[in-house]
Amino acid sequence: MTEIEQWVKAIESDLVRWRRHLHANPELSFEEVQTSQFVFDTLSQLPGLEISRPTETSVVARLRTGRPGKVLALRADMDALPITEETGLSFASKHPGIMHACGHDGHTAMLLGAAKILHEQRALLTGEVRFVFQHAEELNPGGAQELVDQGVLEGVDAVIGQHLWQELESCRVGVREGALMASPDTFHITIVGRGGHAAQPHLNVDPIAIAAQVVVNLQHIASRMVDPLEPFVLSVTKFVGGTADNVIPNSVELCGTVRTFQEERRDLAARWMEDIIRGITSAHGATYTFHYDKGYRPVHNDPQLTRFVRDVLQSELGELVTEAVPTMGGEDFSAYQTVAPGTFFFTGIRPLASDAFPHHHPRFDIDEQALAVGCRAFVAIALEFLK
């Protein structure tokens, strides 16, 4: 057992207890009133921490050592999702229609544990550790950008975050330089034709037939306009139109998402999409509206910082460290990476001997053994960065 592992072992019951309390009491994005108060109260038990509330539902704690050195920010998100829980756990959500289905309860517990240990071991540190308990990761525009705008990362030399990850075997830690998570942009299209009787299509402008062509042709962006070696997703996920089997409707609504790791690709994709929509609707005598809404920026891990993190974690966790597989999911941790070098990594929570439900599923759960591993990772990185 490493020394850090022993420290974490001593508070492992706290990690589980905190996580289960948070899991039973989830709150939605921008509504984390009781969650942030729980974090504030727990941190208040550590004398000398400078605790602030940069927004109504976020908490930042600063551990200043009094010795010159660098400033490291460690971040956890706290919000839950609008999902009705079906896990049957003894500590399942007490709030109907709200659930921690993405592991943020675990993120918060792990960072609370890291704060407790680093506070106890502050004599080993120089500089400052800044613990950032963020609200509203799940809802664009996200809490991270709001905290950046509030100056939470001013003076920070590096920022570290992690995500409990169902696609990774429990207690494994995935690290990767460069692109890790995509930009989750969304779009909304309305195709406006001229409705009428389905038996007289020649007298109408059928928005369903036109919208179907739009859906098919939008896929040409991924298959024929983007380099096949470049990860890119364009998915139409909503197609709404019509009220009866003998009525051609006036309009059809299409919605979906665009995912890419390339910041410049986002504007280009929006332009290509509108070119296709305009051409098809014009050819068939229809009109359209098109709205493209940018989500979070892609998460790109700083190469030098990520190599440092990998080395530290390999020293502390050994063979548990592996190469992370990029995902087209999004994360607002990218907002922090615009103002400081940042690294985001995955901590596995998938048990080998059981079926695992994915993130955002009503039966999503985590292997709680991973909480200790994630806490060790935070502590090890901080100790090495600020030694």
Side-chain angles (χ1 to χ4, degrees), residues 11-327:
I11 66 161
E12 191 166 9
S13 61
D14 289 333
L15 297 176
V16 173
R17 176 170 56 84
W18 292 331
R19 181 258 164 167
R20 292 186 177 187
H21 169 81
L22 294 164
H23 189 88
N25 297 277
E27 294 176 295
L28 296 175
S29 304
F30 298 103
E31 300 176 13
E32 309 92 334
V33 176
Q34 297 302 318
T35 301
S36 59
Q37 189 61 49
F38 174 80
V39 169
F40 183 92
D41 292 343
T42 304
L43 293 172
S44 296
Q45 299 172 26
L46 305 176
L49 279 185
E50 300 176 19
I51 308 172
S52 63
R53 305 293 294 268
T55 69
E56 184 180 355
T57 59
S58 62
V59 182
V60 173
R62 302 176 73 164
L63 176 59
R64 300 181 193 260
T65 66
R67 291 175 288 276
K70 294 180 285 189
V71 179
L72 176 68
L74 302 176
R75 173 266 200 173
D77 43 12
M78 303 185 293
D79 54 329
L81 288 156
I83 295 173
T84 299
E85 182 164 353
E86 299 175 2
T87 62
L89 295 169
S90 61
F91 52 91
S93 172
K94 298 176 183 178
H95 301 162
I98 307 175
M99 176 190 177
H100 271 295
C102 202
H104 297 191
D105 48 349
H107 302 168
T108 304
M110 292 187 298
L111 190 55
L112 284 172
K116 181 178 176 66
I117 291 172
L118 292 170
H119 178 267
E120 293 171 351
Q121 305 300 329
R122 58 192 179 278
L124 302 177
L125 301 170
T126 64
E128 176 192 332
V129 189
R130 202 170 296 178
F131 305 97
V132 180
F133 293 87
Q134 180 204 311
H135 60 305
E137 185 277 330
E138 295 287 0
L139 185 63
N140 192 40
Q145 186 60 54
E146 190 171 11
L147 293 186
V148 168
D149 294 342
Q150 290 291 327
V152 165
L153 259 63
E154 286 182 5
V156 166
D157 295 291
V159 57
I160 302 293
Q162 63 175 300
H163 203 302
L164 294 173
W165 204 240
Q166 195 68 278
E167 296 179 29
L168 190 60
E169 179 186 332
S170 183
C171 297
R172 300 295 297 274
V173 176
V175 183
R176 182 184 179 87
E177 296 177 32
L180 182 69
M181 303 187 76
S183 54
D185 297 346
T186 58
F187 60 85
H188 184 280
I189 306 165
T190 301
I191 308 295
V192 181
R194 185 174 63 248
H197 202 294
Q200 299 173 310
H202 60 294
L203 300 179
N204 311 314
V205 176
D206 187 349
I208 290 181
I210 297 168
Q213 292 186 48
V214 169
V215 172
V216 171
N217 280 272
L218 287 178
Q219 299 310 310
H220 281 255
I221 295 176
S223 66
R224 291 296 179 269
M225 301 170 78
V226 175
D227 187 330
L229 299 180
E230 176 188 326
F232 181 88
V233 171
L234 193 162
S235 295
V236 178
T237 57
K238 184 177 180 181
F239 191 125
V240 180
T243 57
D245 57 10
N246 62 348
V247 176
I248 292 175
N250 280 312
S251 64
V252 166
E253 177 187 10
L254 303 174
C255 298
T257 185
V258 174
R259 308 290 176 114
T260 177
F261 292 125
Q262 305 298 326
E263 183 65 32
E264 63 276 9
R265 183 66 69 201
R266 304 167 79 184
D267 292 329
L268 197 56
R271 194 182 78 205
W272 285 340
M273 289 178 70
E274 185 154 22
D275 286 346
I276 290 170
I277 298 163
R278 183 188 305 112
I280 293 172
T281 54
S282 175
H284 295 283
T287 59
Y288 72 93
T289 60
F290 173 61
H291 299 285
Y292 189 99
D293 297 313
K294 287 188 175 180
Y296 307 142
R297 303 171 186 87
V299 173
H300 280 268
N301 286 335
D302 180 82
Q304 182 177 351
L305 180 61
T306 305
R307 288 192 291 271
F308 165 82
V309 167
R310 180 186 286 111
D311 290 344
V312 171
L313 295 182
Q314 286 177 335
S315 177
E316 174 64 26
L317 302 172
E319 294 182 357
L320 291 176
V321 179
T322 187
E323 183 76 5
V325 177
T327 173

